[in-house]
């Protein structure tokens, strides 16, 4: 019984909202019809004739004063709107319309509240990002010989920039060389090979090192990365490097990690997951390699969402640095719970449920961290091969994430639809200017420059979305310019502009006069007079 009563009240409420929406239209047409009926008693025709005579008697000076005054008023409105926008990040007219007029007309603001995860936001905001534009090794970087070079063979384009490869050379020197290499001939050759710019020279040096020492692990690594033309060949070389024995921890971790990535690329995903888990248990302190991001991607491929949540619970922590993989994977799991039944129309009518609110807040959090990802996930912008290094919160990180995770978003029914409907709302929640941030520390202003160095020239680098000027600022700017031009023309050519104004008004009212003539031919000339006779 209670459910029936609740349903009846909901239907009654919806009927009232519907009637309130369309009542204004009915009332408007009713008033027009009433004015037409009472046009004779109200002497509307006489008043229109008087107005017409008044307009005909106006001098050019009046038009000069009118256009000048209009230009001045619109200019003052423009100055006030621009000042208000610069201070508060929104148009004053739009804010009044949304805050005061929209509720009176029955509109409801369905934007979710922005109070989620405040502790995370406070921690990230208070932490000063000393290395805001620090470049990180891409945890999912491809193989040069088996993947990057194949792209070059097919397209003739170089997917890696010199800056990116130079950073890799520095990484290799840090990971694979030490001060005692000069005491071992093979390692001394490899120390020079990592600094060599020519790929063929590096490969030749690796073969030379193997001739001197067939157990030189770093030589096998270089050949697996750059000479092997398939993942199968690369895996064989890495296994040989593993048998040769790593000289230190960095070499051993690198080999095992790349072997796990080979297994993932060859379809042995469960084997890859086991290798990654064992590696993380064996070397728990080497978080700089971000092996958990490889693990998250592999678990998503297995659709082991409970295991994904367990990994996120460990690494999505306040004290740990964030990444697009962490933030967007968390958003995907939240979206998965509601996306299959999510409908924007239904949500706008009934509001968001708790689960939907959590999903939307997770999407907003992810988008604020890296605003470039949604366009790649929604395929609004074409993907390219990810670089070997990424800039967190930059376009390079967005490409690297979407390149491997787009398939996981597509696999979850409705997830991309939910992202499409909600991601742009993030920028309405961030205080102006956008660089102030909301849940994270302010967005670095140097990302665009660094991304242009990391990404190839044929790719159009995505920049941080700027808050666009509100409509009313653009409207008042156009109105001010237009009225100022009219004032100038009227001052220079008063008689010609007077003729133009009269012609414009007559043209403007021509459709109305045509409709009135048609109505006159159908209805009696004075319906009010006929009613008084009855």
């Amino acid at each position: 019984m209670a459910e029936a009563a609740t349903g009846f009240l909901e239907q009654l409420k919806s009927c009232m909202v519907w009637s309130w929406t369309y009542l204004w239209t009915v009332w408007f047409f009713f008033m027009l019809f009433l004015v037409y009926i009472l046009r004779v008693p109200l002497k509307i025709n006489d008043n229109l004739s008087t107005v017409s005579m008044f307009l005909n008697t106006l001098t050019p000076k009046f038009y000069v004063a009118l256009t000048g005054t209009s230009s001045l008023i619109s200019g003052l409105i423009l100055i006030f709107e621009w000042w208000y926008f610069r201070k508060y990040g929104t148009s004053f007219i739009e804010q009044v319309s949304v805050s005061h007029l929209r509720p009176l007309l029955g509109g409801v603001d369905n934007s979710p509240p922005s109070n989620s995860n405040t502790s995370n936001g406070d921690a990230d905001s208070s932490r000063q990002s000393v290395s805001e534009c620090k470049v990180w090794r891409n945890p999912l970087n491809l193989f040069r010989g088996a993947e990057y070079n194949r792209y070059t063979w097919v397209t003739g384009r170089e997917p890696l920039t010199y800056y990116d490869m130079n950073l890799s050379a520095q990484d290799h020197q840090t990971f694979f060389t030490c001060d005692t290499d000069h005491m071992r001939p093979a390692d001394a050759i490899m120390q020079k090979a990592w600094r060599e710019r020519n790929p063929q020279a590096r490969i030749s040096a690796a073969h030379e090192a193997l001739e001197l020492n067939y157990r030189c692990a770093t030589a096998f690594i270089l050949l697996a990365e750059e000479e092997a033309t398939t993942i199968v060949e690369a895996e064989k070389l890495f296994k040989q490097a593993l048998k040769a024995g790593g000289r230190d921890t960095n070499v051993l971790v690198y080999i095992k990690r790349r072997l796990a990535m080979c297994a993932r690329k060859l379809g042995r995903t469960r084997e890859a997951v086991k290798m990654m888990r064992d590696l993380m248990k064996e070397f728990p302190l080497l978080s700089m390699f971000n092996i958990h991001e490889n693990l998250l991607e592999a678990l998503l491929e297995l659709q082991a969402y409970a295991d994904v949540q367990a990994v996120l619970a460990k690494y999505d922590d306040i004290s740990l640095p964030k990444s697009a993989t962490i933030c967007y994977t968390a958003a995907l799991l939240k979206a998965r719970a509601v996306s299959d039944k999510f409908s924007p129309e239904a949500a706008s009518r009934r509001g968001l449920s708790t689960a939907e609110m959590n999903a939307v807040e997770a999407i907003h959090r992810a988008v604020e961290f890296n605003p470039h990802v949604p366009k790649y996930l929604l395929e609004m912008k074409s993907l390219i091969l990810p670089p070997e290094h990424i800039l967190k919160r930059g376009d390079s990180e967005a490409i690297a994430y979407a390149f491997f995770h787009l398939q996981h978003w597509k696999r979850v029914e409705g997830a991309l639809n939910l992202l499409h409907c909600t991601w742009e709302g993030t920028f309405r929640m961030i205080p102006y200017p956008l660089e102030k941030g909301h849940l994270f520390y302010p967005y670095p202003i140097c990302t665009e420059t660094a991304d242009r160095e990391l990404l190839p020239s044929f790719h159009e680098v995505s920049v941080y979305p700027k808050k666009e000027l509100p409509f009313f600022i653009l409207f008042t700017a156009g109105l001010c310019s237009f009225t100022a031009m009219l004032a100038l023309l009227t001052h220079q050519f008063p008689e010609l502009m007077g003729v133009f104004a009269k012609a414009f008004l007559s043209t403007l009212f021509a459709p109305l006069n045509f409709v009135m003539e048609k109505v006159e031919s159908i209805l009696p000339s004075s319906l009010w007079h006929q009613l008084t006779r009855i």
Side-chain angles (χ1 to χ4, degrees), residues 25-42 44 516 519 522-524 527-528 531:
T25 306
V26 176
W27 179 258
F28 176 74
F29 283 106
F30 175 75
M31 292 302 298
L32 286 180
F33 183 71
L34 186 63
V35 168
Y36 174 77
I37 292 178
L38 300 177
R39 70 187 187 280
V40 174
L42 295 176
I44 294 178
M516 293 296 294
V519 173
I522 297 174
L523 297 178
L527 184 59
W528 178 262
L531 292 174

Side-chain angles (χ1 to χ4, degrees), residues 17 55 88 102 119 121 157 181 218 222 280 284 295 298 321 343 347 367 467 493-494:
V17 172
L55 292 176
Y88 299 104
R102 188 178 179 186
S119 60
R157 291 177 170 180
D181 283 346
T218 54
L222 192 148
M280 293 169 66
L295 179 60
S343 171
V367 173
K467 180 166 283 191
F493 311 101

Side-chain angles (χ1 to χ4, degrees), residues 189-264:
I189 292 176
M190 289 306 302
Q191 190 178 45
K192 295 179 181 178
W194 296 122
R195 294 195 295 266
E196 182 61 54
R197 295 184 179 181
N198 190 328
Q200 291 302 321
R202 289 196 298 270
I203 293 173
S204 299
H207 283 291
E208 183 181 351
L210 286 175
E211 291 177 0
L212 294 175
N213 181 9
Y214 68 95
R215 297 181 63 85
C216 183
T218 54
F220 283 117
I221 291 176
L222 192 148
L223 295 178
E225 291 286 352
E226 302 197 32
E227 187 180 43
T229 57
T230 64
I231 301 298
V232 175
E233 294 178 13
E235 186 180 35
K236 291 180 180 178
L237 289 168
F238 276 119
K239 287 181 178 179
Q240 289 181 275
L242 188 61
K243 289 180 181 179
R247 183 188 59 204
D248 55 26
T249 302
N250 286 342
V251 175
L252 184 60
V253 171
Y254 188 91
I255 294 172
K256 290 186 175 182
R257 182 215 188 103
R258 293 304 257 177
L259 279 173
M261 295 177 68
C262 287
R264 166 68 183 92

Side-chain angles (χ1 to χ4, degrees), residues 110 342-352 356:
N110 293 311
F342 178 78
S343 171
E345 294 79 12
S348 63
R349 289 196 303 268
R350 58 171 170 78
L352 294 174
E356 290 173 338

Side-chain angles (χ1 to χ4, degrees), residues 340-387:
D340 57 336
K341 298 179 181 178
F342 178 78
S343 171
E345 294 79 12
S348 63
R349 289 196 303 268
R350 58 171 170 78
L352 294 174
S353 65
T354 303
E356 290 173 338
M357 186 77 71
N358 292 335
V360 171
E361 289 176 352
I363 290 175
H364 286 176
R365 171 179 179 256
V367 173
E368 183 184 346
F369 181 82
N370 193 317
H372 312 294
V373 173
K375 286 191 175 181
Y376 293 108
L377 292 180
L378 298 173
E379 299 182 80
M380 302 167 63
K381 192 173 182 182
S382 58
L383 275 171
I384 61 173
L385 293 185

